[in-house]
Amino acid sequence: MALADEEGLDGLSMRRLAIVGGWRMEDVIIAGGGPVGLLLACELKLAGADPLVLEAAGDEERRTRSLGLRSLNARTLQSLALRGLVEPVERAQWEMLDVPAGERQDPAGADVVALMLEILRTGQIRGHFAGLPLLDPAGGAAYVMLKQDRLEDILAGRAAAMGVRIRQGQAVTDVAQDDSSVTATLAGGQVVRGAYLVGCDGGRSVVRKRAGFAFDGTPPTMTGRTAVAELADPSLVTSSLRGPGGLVNLSLVPGRSRPSSSTAVPGTGTRR
């Protein structure tokens, strides 16, 4: 085994180039190319490491799974501001929302989407609790709403510009470690070896499960169903938190709605 060490990450010895039985040794393998994994990759690059990001989903799957908007609250925006990323995410927000904002005008506030767009544009929303907006009537609140795949695009663009390697369609299915390295096995059978591996692969994290980290919780009490629909005329659908058919949530993403339901199943204690 031949190792060439270089000091980095506050004095930690990073194996920048390692040949172990013909294998390339990565500095850091990041399982998961979502917002957490991509932002971490950028930070590691700034610290002198050479991370490799392995993301299971491809472009289309990323867009499909990113149905709703993700809120970026004041604390998140403070962190993004340190890296000059607030302006890009705000610009992406309004590139996405300008179309529905023009279509949905409802001064009475009966339409939830129209109300959300108004308080977002005037800087009145500073978060939400269980879906109920927390308002700042004075305005000026720092808050951004963005689809996750658009946020990922912004972070991936920054990472790529910094020289971070990102591999989509590469699902990590197993991990193992020895005294000097960790290996990640991919869905296609390929094996990647690195000095470090970070699990940023979501709530069903393979890395967490293989490493034996506990993730205690409680059994589910309800089942939610979401449909993706292309609407010929989205303006005909009114979003409502309470209606005869349950909750109807027209996505702020143009051309898509997210009708969802939650109903009890008699005798089972299950909600659907």
Side-chain angles (χ1 to χ4, degrees):
M1 177 175 67
L3 295 178
D5 288 347
E6 179 177 324
E7 292 299 315
L9 291 181
D10 296 328
L12 291 177
S13 179
M14 298 298 296
R15 277 154 282 197
R16 299 283 297 175
L17 178 61
I19 305 299
V20 184
W23 292 88
R24 171 191 171 95
M25 177 77 82
E26 301 290 349
D27 277 1
V28 183
I29 302 167
I30 299 176
V36 174
L38 292 169
L39 194 56
L40 172 63
C42 293
E43 295 301 299
L44 288 172
K45 195 71 174 179
L46 287 173
D50 186 19
L52 171 66
V53 179
L54 301 174
E55 165 57 36
D59 281 338
E60 184 57 36
E61 185 179 350
R62 284 176 52 245
R63 284 190 290 271
T64 301
R65 76 184 182 189
S66 180
L67 290 174
L69 299 179
R70 300 295 184 266
S71 301
L72 305 181
N73 59 27
R75 185 66 188 91
T76 300
L77 290 175
Q78 288 173 357
S79 298
L80 294 177
L82 296 174
R83 299 295 180 248
L85 291 169
V86 172
E87 183 178 345
V89 298
E90 288 182 338
R91 183 168 59 250
Q93 170 188 255
W94 288 112
E95 285 174 353
M96 179 183 66
L97 295 182
D98 275 343
V99 172
E103 292 176 346
R104 310 191 74 81
Q105 302 293 330
D106 182 15
D111 186 284
V112 176
V113 169
L115 175 62
M116 287 295 295
L117 287 168
E118 177 62 21
I119 60 179
L120 187 61
R121 184 178 292 280
T122 55
Q124 296 182 60
I125 185 169
R126 54 187 176 89
H128 70 85
F129 177 76
L132 302 176
L134 303 176
L135 302 182
D136 179 2
Y143 196 78
V144 172
M145 298 180 70
L146 197 64
K147 284 190 79 229
Q148 181 173 320
D149 64 309
R150 286 294 296 115
L151 178 59
E152 290 172 357
D153 287 342
I154 293 169
L155 296 175
R158 180 171 187 264
M162 297 173 67
V164 173
R165 292 164 296 142
I166 303 171
R167 305 286 184 264
Q168 292 188 350
Q170 302 291 327
V172 174
T173 58
D174 197 11
V175 298
Q177 67 177 352
D178 55 31
D179 292 338
S180 61
S181 65
V182 59
T183 57
T185 301
L186 307 184
Q190 308 95 316
V191 174
V192 183
R193 180 169 293 181
Y196 297 89
L197 183 143
V198 185
C200 301
D201 46 342
R204 298 180 177 88
S205 171
V206 170
V207 176
R208 174 182 57 79
K209 292 175 182 177
R210 295 295 185 269
F213 299 128
F215 190 59
D216 298 330
T218 58
T221 58
M222 62 168 287
T223 298
R225 292 182 172 85
T226 300
V228 179
E230 296 289 340
L231 303 180
D233 189 353
S235 64
L236 297 178
V237 180
T238 298
S239 292
S240 173
L241 296 177
R242 301 176 184 84
L247 180 150
V248 177
N249 178 16
L250 182 71
S251 173
L252 294 179
V253 181
R256 288 185 176 178
S257 68
R258 299 178 59 232
S260 57
S261 64
S262 173
T263 56
V265 179
T268 67
T270 301
R271 296 182 65 83
R272 292 183 180 172

